[in-house]
Amino acid sequence: MKTIFEPFRIKSVEPIRVTTRDERVRLIREANFNPFTLHSDDVMIDLLTDSGTGAMSAAQWAAVMKGDESYAGSPSFFRFEAAVQNLTNFKHIIPTHQGRAAEAILFSMMGGPGRRIPNNTHFDTTRGNIEASGAEGADLVIDEGLDPQSLHPFKGNMDLDKLRSYLDEHGDAVPCVMVTITNNAGGGQPVSLKNIHATGALAREYGKPFIIDGCRFAENAWFIKQREAGQGDRSITEIVRDCFSVADGMTMSAKKDAFGNIGGWLALNDNDMAETARGHLIRTEGFPTYGGLSGRDLEALAQGLVEIVDEDYLRYRIRTNSYIVEKLDAIGIPVVKPAGGHAVFVDARAWLPHIDPLLYPGQAVSVALFELGGIRAVEIGTVMFGRQPNGSEMPAAMDLVRLAFPRRTYTQSHADYIIEVFEELAAIKNSLKGYRITWEQKLMRHFTCKFEPLS
Ligand code: F0G
């Protein structure tokens, strides 16, 4: 069969308030043309992020009722720990309230002035935590990963030559080597098993711990199964275990591939580091058997980790993006190809060449998507990365718009609706105007800045 349907039935629904175009034009103006400022019940299809926005299963909600809220030694923790270890086999599992808290603990140990941390591409909170500690991050993804049109099957791969030169050059300044699966900042692009192994081997050769940012490990494993020679007959669980087998630890946002609305963890094999991390955890998150989470959250995550490796789910999940990317590509809208795991990325700079990058073509697309269709997407371009430390402005490497899909939340007809909105947008795209920022914060301005359309 050609149709890959949603492999679930719907037991509980949340109504979507259907708005008119006039209403949306008013709402986005009141939000100073920044979609982050909108109220989410004014949004019809919310593709701001896939983080914590997914639908929990009936089995997860049932597990919530089993949550044991004891301060210390809760059985919910031990079920959570066993579920994480079943997939990763790390020795120490340290629960945190979300991924960035795990990063903050990791870099309180591995960061600091003068230190340098390479990754395929650091996600912005990872980079933020590295820089806040005084260290520097480096993005060493393969060149294909920076080319929206390259059809390389593993555009998230680490460039092993660049990594070797980096390790030669910076030697003792490098406390660990990281890799992010899938490479979110680079378009949700996967990293091959071979590349994960080779990166781990290089880290070991230089005596550095190898840490995986594993937020979307199951989506990454699905791509490995589909695209990598010799992997097609293995189960997702086997591939996931193989990926983590070469690492010394991981950071995780359980709001992605653990089907959680909240949660995360730091995993480590080294006993001394884990003790230091737990000390930090007690100060900042909570006792080691709950971290920043309630017992019911831990139960929901333990069950989520059983469901995430389901191949029918992953097939549907990944197909949502490739379906939309194929249709947008067919109507001439420049998209990052091949489709990533959790999101569709539109190349706004290529699509709206009449808008200078410093006038934010990505912002123009995301505002228009809301006005035309009530869709909320996020600009990943010059608004997000253009402001320099000295306050000046530079075009980012790319001006993309990300449509990230919450897990198990929207259906095929939502996807068809999104495509239709793009068709309408394509017809009027030459009339779209750029934007000017009228107010901004110095750091991470995109969350709160205010815009004004150019007349
Ligand atoms: N690492 C990656 C690769 C991520 O995508 C995220 C979050 C984090 C770390 C931080 O995790 O949010 O639980 O603290 N990404 C979300 C997004 C926010 O929209 O892509 P967190």
Side-chain angles (χ1 to χ4, degrees):
M1 296 294 172
K2 283 205 297 293
T3 303
I4 297 171
F5 61 76
E6 293 80 15
F8 47 81
R9 297 185 296 187
I10 295 168
K11 190 193 277 278
S12 176
V13 296
E14 269 185 293
I16 294 173
R17 190 168 76 79
V18 179
T19 51
T20 64
R21 181 160 178 194
D22 286 349
E23 228 178 325
R24 296 190 294 266
V25 166
R26 174 177 61 76
L27 288 164
I28 193 75
R29 176 173 292 277
E30 285 170 7
N32 298 301
F33 301 96
N34 186 341
F36 278 104
T37 310
L38 290 166
H39 292 207
S40 61
D41 52 0
D42 290 331
V43 175
M44 294 209 290
I45 301 196
D46 202 347
L47 307 179
L48 196 56
T49 179
D50 65 321
S51 182
T53 50
M56 292 217 294
S57 66
Q60 281 181 289
W61 283 111
V64 161
M65 281 308 294
K66 291 193 294 193
D68 178 313
E69 306 303 342
S70 303
Y71 187 90
S74 162
S76 301
F77 170 73
F78 295 107
R79 275 192 282 272
F80 161 81
E81 182 188 47
V84 177
Q85 283 174 334
N86 175 46
L87 291 175
T88 68
N89 207 29
F90 291 119
K91 204 163 159 194
H92 303 282
I93 312 297
I94 297 167
T96 59
H97 78 279
Q98 58 183 82
R100 65 198 72 182
E103 292 165 357
I105 296 174
L106 182 69
F107 297 118
S108 73
M109 301 184 291
M110 291 203 175
R115 294 247 168 109
R116 292 168 177 270
I117 296 134
N119 200 331
N120 49 356
T121 316
H122 289 290
F123 181 65
D124 53 10
T125 58
T126 321
R127 182 173 278 281
N129 274 300
I130 288 171
E131 291 176 0
S133 78
E136 254 176 66
D139 296 336
L140 306 179
V141 72
I142 57 170
D143 291 341
E144 290 89 338
L146 299 172
D147 172 4
Q149 298 308 311
S150 158
L151 291 176
H152 193 289
F154 292 103
K155 287 168 81 170
N157 279 357
M158 178 72 92
D159 187 320
L160 297 163
D161 293 333
K162 283 188 212 161
L163 179 60
R164 185 179 284 284
S165 314
Y166 191 84
L167 289 165
D168 283 337
E169 190 179 339
H170 300 297
D172 290 345
V174 180
C176 65
V177 171
M178 289 188 79
V179 94
T180 301
I181 58 173
T182 57
N183 187 24
N184 181 12
Q189 297 292 330
V191 182
S192 72
L193 182 62
K194 190 168 159 215
N195 188 261
I196 292 172
H197 278 231
T199 305
L202 201 52
R204 219 170 16 259
E205 185 186 323
Y206 283 78
K208 312 292 182 190
F210 177 42
I211 308 288
I212 296 180
D213 174 340
C215 292
R216 300 179 179 85
F217 67 84
E219 292 168 8
N220 198 74
W222 176 258
F223 285 117
I224 288 173
K225 185 175 165 95
Q226 300 309 305
R227 296 182 184 170
E228 193 159 344
Q231 300 299 320
D233 292 332
R234 299 178 82 194
S235 73
I236 295 295
T237 299
E238 273 178 293
I239 296 172
V240 167
R241 286 179 182 152
D242 202 345
C243 291
F244 289 118
S245 70
V246 295
D248 300 289
M250 74 183 289
T251 55
M252 177 73 187
S253 168
K255 302 170 76 173
K256 284 84 171 178
D257 275 358
F259 280 132
N261 296 129
I262 195 72
W265 68 79
L266 171 65
L268 293 166
N269 281 337
D270 185 80
N271 296 339
D272 293 340
M273 271 210 139
E275 274 326 303
T276 309
R278 287 196 181 101
H280 191 114
L281 186 83
I282 292 174
R283 256 189 302 124
T284 59
E285 293 277 297
F287 191 75
T289 59
Y290 72 87
L293 297 169
S294 62
R296 53 183 171 270
D297 295 324
L298 293 165
E299 292 282 356
L301 299 181
Q303 175 60 27
L305 288 172
V306 172
E307 296 171 14
I308 198 70
V309 293
D310 179 76
E311 296 195 7
D312 293 330
Y313 158 74
L314 286 168
R315 181 179 298 108
Y316 136 80
R317 167 79 178 151
I318 302 300
R319 180 59 190 151
T320 307
N321 300 313
S322 61
Y323 177 80
I324 295 174
V325 161
E326 281 165 22
K327 300 270 175 161
L328 297 187
D329 190 34
I331 57 174
I333 297 175
V335 277
V336 175
K337 289 191 286 190
H342 67 296
V344 170
F345 289 77
V346 175
D347 185 348
R349 188 179 293 174
W351 199 31
L352 305 181
H354 64 286
I355 300 181
D356 187 273
L358 293 177
L359 300 176
Y360 315 127
Q363 194 64 22
V365 171
S366 65
V367 170
L369 284 172
F370 182 74
E371 289 181 344
L372 272 181
I375 298 167
R376 176 154 72 168
V378 64
E379 191 261 14
I380 300 197
T382 306
V383 174
M384 202 176 265
F385 304 118
R387 192 193 149 98
Q388 305 304 303
N390 66 6
S392 68
E393 185 93 4
M394 288 241 298
M398 297 190 268
D399 277 294
L400 303 177
V401 175
R402 183 181 85 167
L403 299 100
F405 286 82
R407 292 172 180 76
R408 304 190 292 209
T409 302
Y410 294 111
T411 65
Q412 164 103 37
S413 70
H414 293 113
D416 287 328
Y417 171 83
I418 292 161
I419 292 157
E420 216 178 303
V421 171
F422 268 101
E423 279 166 358
E424 280 197 28
L425 187 51
I428 60 155
K429 71 167 185 102
N430 292 333
S431 69
L432 296 186
K433 302 263 184 346
Y435 282 80
R436 198 171 74 76
I437 293 180
T438 58
W439 181 86
E440 66 183 16
Q441 277 185 323
K442 289 198 179 104
L443 281 178
M444 300 211 229
R445 65 174 178 183
H446 56 284
F447 290 120
T448 51
C449 66
K450 299 178 179 176
F451 297 90
E452 192 175 76
L454 296 173
S455 49

